[in-house]
Amino acid sequence: MPKAKESKSTVKLNEPQYYFNRELSWLEFNNRVLHEALDSRTLLLERLKFAAIFSSNLDEFFMVRVSGLKEQVEAEVSQLTPDGRTPQEQLDAIERLLRPQVVQQHRHFEQELRSKLSSVGVYLLKDTDLNQEQRVYLERYFEKHIFPILTPLAVDPGHPFPHMSNLSLNLGVVVKNPKTGEENFARVKVPDIVPRFITFPQELQCHNEHPTVWTGVPLEQVIACHIQSLFPGMEIQESCVFRVTRDADFPVQEDEAEDLLLAIQHEISKRYFKGSAVRLEIQASGCTFVRKTLMQGLKLAESDVYDIEGLLNLKDLMFFMSLPLPDQKDSPWTPVVPPRLRQVHELSKDKDLLEIANGENLFLAIQQGDLLVHHPYESFSESVELFITKAATDPKVLAIKMTLYRTSGDSPIVKALIAAAENKKQVAVLVELKARFDEENNISWARQLEDAGVHVVYGLVGLKTHTKTTLVVRKEGDDIRRYVHIGTGNYNSKTAKLYTDLGLFSCREDLGADLTDLFNYLTGYSLQHSYRKLLVSPVNMRDRMVSFIRREIDHCQNGHPGRIIAKMNSLVDPQMIATLYEASQAGVQIDLIIRGICCLRPGVKGVSENIRVISIVGRYLEHSRIFYFHNNGQEEIYIGSADWMPRNLDRRVEAVVPIEDANLVKQLKNILDIMLADNRQAWELQPDGQYLQRRPGAEETEQSAQKILMEMALQHSL
């Protein structure tokens, strides 16, 4: 913990001691995810889900963040982070913090979760657990379904070290030639076209004469048990399972690319095979020969190798969420239809009513006043998707413009946009090709949209378009009216069921004019530098947000209370953090609800003692961004797509919108208050960087913000 400062005059707010490291803060977030897998209060299958998410998160962390640090080390980058670390110092700190977490995760699965699965009739069997009938079945299964697609690859002077695809599961095998006594290494890839967990047929489902819900074995275990059949005449000395993670973050020289789409397609092809290896996970029982061969072939150091007890690649535990064990997972949630849209929803069910009536009622509902929707508590399909699908068929709609950052694989929204173009409407869509790990999906949609006659723009050079905005232009009588949707989350029906997000529907003229200007900026050569209501990155958002914080400082210095509440995914930007420190020093009371990375150090005397930081990790991924400023009683509150990170404020196109309807302001303040009162899934950040989980006191009842918001949504739907 840094030494406390006595007064503002002695404090230099850019000193490293006042900042947490970005990468280590993210690891602390992922550790909170892991805690949900460890917490006995979490239902069993949900614990497996959180263990899977922890592993999936780590994969991306190594593919992007660790690989980036390694590249900096190789390039001899000397610039320090705000917390004063070199790239190598960050890598060293990551390893020290992460290794115990990985050990804890795998040990917990092997020693506790496996047995708990057995107690509810789910048996993931080891080879020593199998009876004779099960062994015979697996032998036949191997011969029929697995053996024909396996390809053993030898490594010797005549066979170069094989290239192993990113995140692939493999067996490393040491074989001995009985004639020469020579030992060699061979690699066998575990095929990903075969299910990871092999389910026994119904007649073999019982275990120790007890009926089961599910009984099966991991695929790699079956291959290992029959590995001799791949090397006839050779002696198998040892074999072990391993997994390789590669650099999957690729740079695209946009200013040099004649065709951005083709350039990104070319780089995507490198992701699975060409990126340098950054991590090797290997069974702890793996032999020295395999380990040494892999480290040499992959050019990895000991610090890059993670020894795993038991099952590798625990993100595949998500498979068990499909089992028929309703008592062991969260009850299904059906999002409610927002009350004002309920009439439109009922009309949509009546096939005898014309589509035009549905569309008319939807737009009339928005004309009644600004409408706020909160997902997944309220239905995405019966609000956002309905808005776009009805616009596509409404004869009064002249044009639809929207941004697509990430969307689902079977997107009803994309289908609606295609239908709109076929209905002779002007449709313009910005598809962000640089949305990491969604590039292929977005390229596919972009081509389909272009084929249908939609005007497709691929984004701005040097900027990612991350804003979540839709503009619908409608002719009503002799007038043109513009309808807008501005949200915090992607236009993705699948993640809308898993992420908490907010969206504003409005037909206010100033917002319609702002979005018109924004889309002209995105699709043409507009140099728009001012907006009526919107805060837009990289144009004016940073300066405006700083000015709002400084306004709270001014109120405090003039003897009035200052108050800020900000909810976002990540807080990284040094300027925003330093400005918050200044506000704390002036007496502004600040509550931050930061799900993931937080580089601000709260509770430091003379610097941040008026700042509190909580993180909520629960059933849904907290994704909404809300910014509240007391403003001496003239409250202002905003929602939008941007976190306070350099990339969001400087290198992305983002939009944040003010909420001006008094009832909606009250609704958002209530959401923030519920979040701040959470004592079930909330963690509080301490000055030393540790997070302490809140627990109800002796006289308190347990309050889960997400549970309360679900209950409120049900009440409002009655």
Side-chain angles (χ1 to χ4, degrees):
M1 179 175 175
K3 183 179 178 181
K5 302 294 180 179
E6 297 301 324
S7 67
K8 181 179 177 180
S9 62
T10 65
V11 172
K12 295 181 180 179
L13 295 179
N14 62 347
E15 290 186 356
Q17 61 182 319
Y18 299 123
Y19 297 84
F20 292 129
N21 180 265
R22 182 196 195 283
E23 317 303 346
L24 301 184
S25 181
W26 184 90
L27 288 178
E28 288 290 350
F29 157 68
N30 207 33
N31 194 40
R32 297 193 291 281
V33 173
L34 175 59
H35 184 273
E36 292 298 309
L38 307 177
D39 194 333
S40 60
R41 296 175 298 173
T42 306
L43 295 172
L44 178 56
L45 295 190
E46 300 294 333
R47 294 173 72 175
L48 296 180
K49 179 188 77 176
F50 280 108
I53 294 172
F54 175 84
S55 291
S56 180
N57 287 348
L58 270 188
D59 286 348
E60 185 169 337
F61 180 72
F62 273 91
M63 288 189 291
V64 177
R65 304 304 306 181
V66 172
S67 66
L69 288 172
K70 284 178 170 290
E71 288 173 359
Q72 291 180 41
V73 171
E74 187 174 344
E76 298 182 350
V77 172
S78 58
Q79 182 177 355
L80 302 181
T81 56
D83 65 308
R85 298 176 194 259
T86 65
Q88 186 58 57
E89 286 172 338
Q90 292 181 80
L91 287 172
D92 294 341
I94 287 169
E95 184 190 357
R96 288 193 301 270
L97 182 60
L98 182 56
R99 284 193 183 279
Q101 294 180 9
V102 173
V103 170
Q104 184 181 32
Q105 179 206 22
H106 285 270
R107 185 172 295 163
H108 186 74
F109 173 73
E110 294 296 332
Q111 296 181 2
E112 180 165 348
L113 295 184
R114 266 186 186 264
S115 62
K116 288 191 175 297
L117 283 171
S118 299
S119 69
V120 296
V122 177
Y123 295 92
L124 182 60
L125 301 181
K126 299 179 180 179
D127 184 58
T128 54
D129 300 323
L130 300 174
N131 61 38
Q132 185 58 33
E133 291 80 5
Q134 290 168 333
R135 292 180 187 279
V136 170
Y137 172 81
L138 289 177
E139 183 176 357
R140 293 172 179 168
Y141 185 94
F142 174 82
E143 292 173 353
K144 183 176 181 180
H145 298 286
I146 303 174
F147 179 77
I149 57 178
L150 296 179
T151 304
L153 296 175
V155 177
D156 56 34
H159 299 85
F161 190 84
H163 201 90
M164 303 173 191
S165 56
N166 187 31
L167 304 181
S168 62
L169 204 60
N170 307 270
L171 269 75
V173 188
V174 179
V175 297
K176 180 180 179 181
N177 187 323
K179 295 181 179 179
T180 65
E182 182 182 6
E183 290 186 347
N184 288 105
F185 169 84
R187 171 253 189 162
V188 178
K189 181 178 179 179
V190 177
D192 50 18
I193 58 174
V194 179
R196 172 72 191 282
F197 300 111
I198 299 173
T199 304
F200 283 117
Q202 188 62 43
E203 63 272 16
L204 298 178
Q205 279 288 316
C206 63
H207 179 67
N208 293 336
E209 300 183 355
H210 296 293
T212 68
V213 173
W214 181 89
T215 304
V217 295
L219 172 60
E220 66 273 19
Q221 179 178 304
V222 178
I223 298 174
C225 289
H226 299 86
I227 199 72
Q228 181 67 65
S229 61
L230 292 168
F231 303 95
M234 303 294 282
E235 297 176 359
I236 305 297
Q237 301 299 99
E238 290 184 283
S239 71
C240 65
V241 182
F242 68 92
R243 185 169 182 260
V244 178
T245 309
R246 294 187 175 279
D247 178 356
D249 196 25
F250 55 84
V252 177
Q253 302 301 322
E254 298 177 58
D255 52 347
E256 299 177 7
E258 295 183 7
D259 188 322
L260 182 61
L261 186 146
L262 292 176
I264 289 179
Q265 281 184 314
H266 176 70
E267 294 297 334
I268 290 172
S269 66
K270 300 178 182 179
R271 173 170 288 161
Y272 301 106
F273 294 101
K274 301 297 184 184
S276 58
V278 294
R279 177 180 58 164
L280 170 65
E281 299 167 279
I282 187 169
Q283 279 182 327
S285 60
C287 65
T288 304
F289 193 122
V290 171
R291 185 189 187 92
K292 181 179 179 181
T293 302
L294 290 172
M295 289 175 63
Q296 289 178 343
L298 297 168
K299 297 180 174 59
L300 293 174
E302 189 65 39
S303 59
D304 303 316
V305 182
Y306 285 76
D307 296 297
I308 304 299
E309 298 269 357
L311 199 69
L312 273 67
N313 193 19
L314 292 188
K315 71 180 181 183
D316 285 343
L317 293 178
M318 199 66 78
F319 161 82
F320 293 99
M321 288 296 291
S322 63
L323 296 181
L325 289 168
D327 294 340
Q328 300 300 325
K329 51 188 171 182
D330 292 333
S331 300
W333 168 253
T334 302
V336 305
V337 179
R340 208 196 300 171
L341 296 181
R342 200 171 303 140
Q343 181 182 7
V344 181
H345 175 60
E346 292 303 321
L347 285 171
S348 298
K349 290 181 178 179
D350 192 333
K351 295 181 180 179
D352 295 331
L353 292 174
L354 296 175
E355 289 292 317
I356 185 173
N358 297 337
E360 194 73 40
N361 278 274
L362 172 66
F363 293 112
L364 285 173
I366 299 174
Q367 289 175 29
Q368 293 173 21
D370 287 0
L371 172 65
L372 192 71
V373 288
H374 194 188
H375 316 301
Y377 311 108
E378 294 177 315
S379 174
F380 179 83
S381 62
E382 299 301 336
S383 58
V384 178
E385 284 182 356
L386 183 68
F387 176 61
I388 297 167
T389 55
K390 296 309 178 189
T393 57
D394 186 342
K396 294 183 180 180
V397 169
L398 305 177
I400 303 173
K401 302 180 181 184
M402 72 180 302
T403 57
L404 284 178
Y405 187 71
R406 301 184 196 276
T407 190
S408 54
D410 55 348
S411 175
I413 287 176
V414 173
K415 294 175 183 177
L417 293 171
I418 292 172
E422 292 171 347
N423 290 331
K424 308 304 181 184
K425 304 182 188 304
Q426 292 293 312
V427 184
V429 181
L430 189 145
V431 179
E432 182 48 77
L433 298 184
K434 301 184 291 291
R436 186 182 289 129
F437 301 120
D438 266 339
E439 300 95 345
E440 290 180 278
N441 189 40
N442 285 3
I443 287 172
S444 173
W445 285 125
R447 291 197 183 282
Q448 290 187 45
L449 289 166
E450 284 182 323
D451 290 344
V454 173
H455 301 296
V456 178
V457 180
Y458 296 139
L460 303 177
V461 173
L463 297 173
K464 278 188 180 181
T465 302
H466 190 248
T467 180
K468 328 295 183 182
T469 50
T470 301
L471 174 67
V472 172
V473 182
R474 194 169 187 259
K475 184 172 178 57
E476 298 175 355
D478 294 330
D479 298 323
I480 296 290
R481 193 192 298 267
R482 289 174 285 200
Y483 295 82
V484 307
H485 173 265
I486 304 169
T488 70
N490 297 312
Y491 291 110
N492 188 318
S493 57
K494 293 182 179 178
T495 57
K497 298 174 183 177
L498 304 172
Y499 295 7
T500 70
D501 273 305
L502 293 158
L504 176 72
F505 290 101
S506 178
C507 59
R508 284 163 38 198
E509 183 57 32
D510 49 11
L511 291 181
D514 270 356
L515 273 197
T516 298
D517 289 342
L518 177 59
F519 277 105
N520 288 342
Y521 167 64
L522 294 173
T523 63
Y525 290 106
S526 166
L527 294 176
Q528 188 74 22
H529 291 297
S530 63
Y531 293 86
R532 301 155 189 81
K533 293 292 183 179
L534 291 182
L535 310 185
V536 176
S537 289
V539 179
N540 66 352
M541 189 181 299
R542 176 186 287 279
D543 291 343
R544 293 292 301 280
M545 286 292 186
V546 168
S547 72
F548 295 155
I549 300 172
R550 294 201 178 283
R551 187 176 61 190
E552 297 300 314
I553 294 174
D554 292 341
H555 289 315
C556 278
Q557 291 175 340
N558 291 321
H560 303 294
R563 181 85 168 108
I564 297 171
I565 308 174
K567 178 183 184 295
M568 64 193 94
N569 295 337
S570 299
L571 172 57
V572 174
D573 189 78
Q575 181 188 1
M576 299 302 297
I577 293 173
T579 309
L580 289 171
Y581 285 156
E582 291 180 37
S584 174
Q585 290 173 327
V588 180
Q589 299 298 308
I590 303 170
D591 279 300
L592 302 174
I593 306 168
I594 313 293
R595 182 199 77 216
I597 304 166
C598 181
C599 296
L600 177 147
R601 187 186 294 270
V604 178
K605 185 178 179 182
V607 176
S608 57
E609 55 198 315
N610 291 314
I611 304 178
R612 295 154 297 278
V613 180
I614 67 167
S615 170
I616 293 177
V617 178
R619 173 173 180 169
Y620 303 118
L621 183 79
E622 288 295 335
H623 194 254
S624 57
R625 289 91 164 183
I626 311 172
F627 307 95
Y628 167 86
F629 305 93
H630 181 258
N631 192 24
N632 197 26
Q634 303 297 309
E635 299 172 312
E636 292 187 7
I637 196 162
Y638 298 77
I639 67 168
S641 59
D643 295 319
W644 286 351
M645 303 178 72
R647 69 185 189 191
N648 299 98
L649 299 173
D650 301 327
R651 302 192 301 275
R652 289 185 173 186
V653 179
E654 307 273 12
V656 168
V657 61
I659 305 299
E660 298 185 344
D661 182 281
N663 290 326
L664 301 188
V665 169
K666 182 178 179 182
Q667 182 179 340
L668 287 172
K669 286 174 60 182
N670 190 39
I671 291 172
L672 292 174
D673 288 341
I674 290 170
M675 293 279 176
L676 292 173
D678 191 300
N679 60 15
R680 171 60 182 87
Q681 261 102 24
W683 297 73
E684 194 154 353
L685 178 57
Q686 305 302 301
D688 64 357
Q690 299 296 307
Y691 281 82
L692 296 182
Q693 189 173 38
R694 286 181 175 177
R695 298 273 183 163
E699 303 298 323
E700 295 179 324
T701 57
E702 186 175 272
Q703 296 188 72
S704 165
Q706 294 184 354
K707 184 177 180 181
I708 291 170
L709 290 168
M710 292 167 72
E711 293 170 350
M712 288 175 56
L714 286 175
Q715 291 172 2
H716 293 156
S717 69
L718 298 177

